[in-house]
Amino acid sequence: QQPVQSPQAVILREGEDAVINCSSSKALYSVHWYRQKHGEAPVFLMILLKGGEQKGHEKISASFNEKKQQSSLYLTASQLSYSGTYFCGTGIQGAQKLVFGQGTRLTINP
Amino acid sequence: DGGITQSPKYLFRKEGQNVTLSCEQNLNHDAMYWYRQDPGQGLRLIYYSQIVNDFQKGDIAEGYSVSREKKESFPLTVTSAQKNPTAFYLCASSGGGLPSSYNEQFFGPGTRLTVL
């Protein structure tokens, strides 16, 4: 079953923060985050595996709460380059495939 | 440079025709995937393959077929049985061993298919 992302869309000014959530009805073992610019291929951001770890690089980080079957992506002090659609992809234990959410469109204005 | 190539970038097809989309990777990855993306939608899995000569149906396999005769190649055929084939098609691959859902996926640039 497809994970649910929220919000569906968000508009920010440069320098503001954003949180994107990804919730599943299934027990998760892995959560992937990707960003896609219009008309381009999705680009990998990070993977979180079961264990509740928080990962990040620069001003983009994520957490994984396997009890709540939920992951959140945090974008701090957003830059114009952060604009795009963000997708989470979820995997259950031992899965050979991911199921992707419907995406969250993030627009950063100057 | 390692990566995934898809061709063609744009493809036009008449109704009732089969068409094959190419996907090649030189990353030495075992797993490969085909996704379909419709405007404003997420990525839906069509087929995936973990090893040569083996592949599994994804969530929307009807009207599509694949082959995996070589590790680096995973072509997708959109058949006339696919009722609404106009979409953006993405190929991806992943390495690092099993299970594949624990590994980063690398995506190709995509093929935009339009049925006239």
Side-chain angles (χ1 to χ4, degrees):
Chain A
Q1 195 166 352
Q2 187 179 35
V4 176
Q5 289 185 231
S6 62
Q8 289 191 336
V10 59
I11 300 174
L12 299 175
R13 288 195 178 276
E14 200 173 4
E16 293 181 333
D17 301 341
V19 180
I20 300 171
N21 299 306
C22 174
S23 296
S24 175
S25 59
K26 297 198 170 192
L28 299 178
Y29 199 88
S30 66
V31 180
H32 297 219
W33 286 98
Y34 294 82
R35 176 172 62 211
Q36 184 180 31
K37 302 277 187 180
H38 183 69
E40 298 180 6
V43 173
F44 171 77
L45 294 175
M46 64 190 78
I47 292 178
L48 300 102
L49 298 179
K50 184 176 178 179
E53 61 180 299
Q54 185 154 353
K55 279 196 165 186
H57 55 90
E58 296 183 354
K59 297 175 184 174
I60 301 176
S61 62
S63 63
F64 179 20
N65 187 328
E66 69 255 27
K67 239 182 180 180
K68 293 186 177 180
Q69 294 158 198
Q70 178 178 316
S71 177
S72 296
L73 184 71
Y74 307 94
L75 299 105
T76 307
S78 58
Q79 306 169 10
L80 295 176
S81 62
Y82 288 1
S83 290
T85 301
Y86 288 78
F87 293 99
C88 67
T90 57
I92 60 176
Q93 189 168 6
Q96 307 300 344
K97 61 178 184 174
L98 295 175
V99 182
F100 283 89
Q102 81 280 15
T104 295
R105 179 176 288 183
L106 176 65
T107 303
I108 310 292
N109 292 321
Chain B
D1 259 339
I4 301 178
T5 56
Q6 290 185 242
S7 61
K9 189 174 175 70
Y10 298 96
L11 188 57
F12 297 90
R13 186 196 95 174
K14 290 184 180 178
E15 262 189 72
Q17 288 181 338
N18 292 355
V19 63
T20 297
L21 282 58
S22 167
C23 177
E24 304 276 333
Q25 54 100 357
N26 61 3
L27 300 167
N28 199 33
H29 285 169
D30 287 312
M32 296 187 75
Y33 312 83
W34 273 106
Y35 294 94
R36 169 179 171 142
Q37 188 173 33
D38 293 283
Q41 300 295 312
L43 306 169
R44 293 186 290 167
L45 185 64
I46 305 172
Y47 269 98
Y48 62 107
S49 167
Q50 301 299 313
I51 54 172
V52 174
N53 292 323
D54 189 40
F55 48 82
Q56 290 77 41
K57 291 182 179 180
D59 301 316
I60 55 165
E62 186 175 347
Y64 301 97
S65 66
V66 293
S67 63
R68 186 87 187 274
E69 296 176 1
K70 298 186 296 184
K71 186 175 183 177
E72 58 270 22
S73 179
F74 191 40
L76 173 75
T77 297
V78 184
T79 74
S80 56
Q82 170 48 235
K83 297 302 178 194
N84 185 19
T86 294
F88 188 47
Y89 290 88
L90 286 160
C91 178
S93 71
S94 67
L98 300 174
S100 299
S101 67
Y102 302 177
N103 303 318
E104 170 188 353
Q105 291 192 12
F106 295 79
F107 286 85
T111 292
R112 192 166 298 279
L113 173 64
T114 303
V115 173
L116 304 172

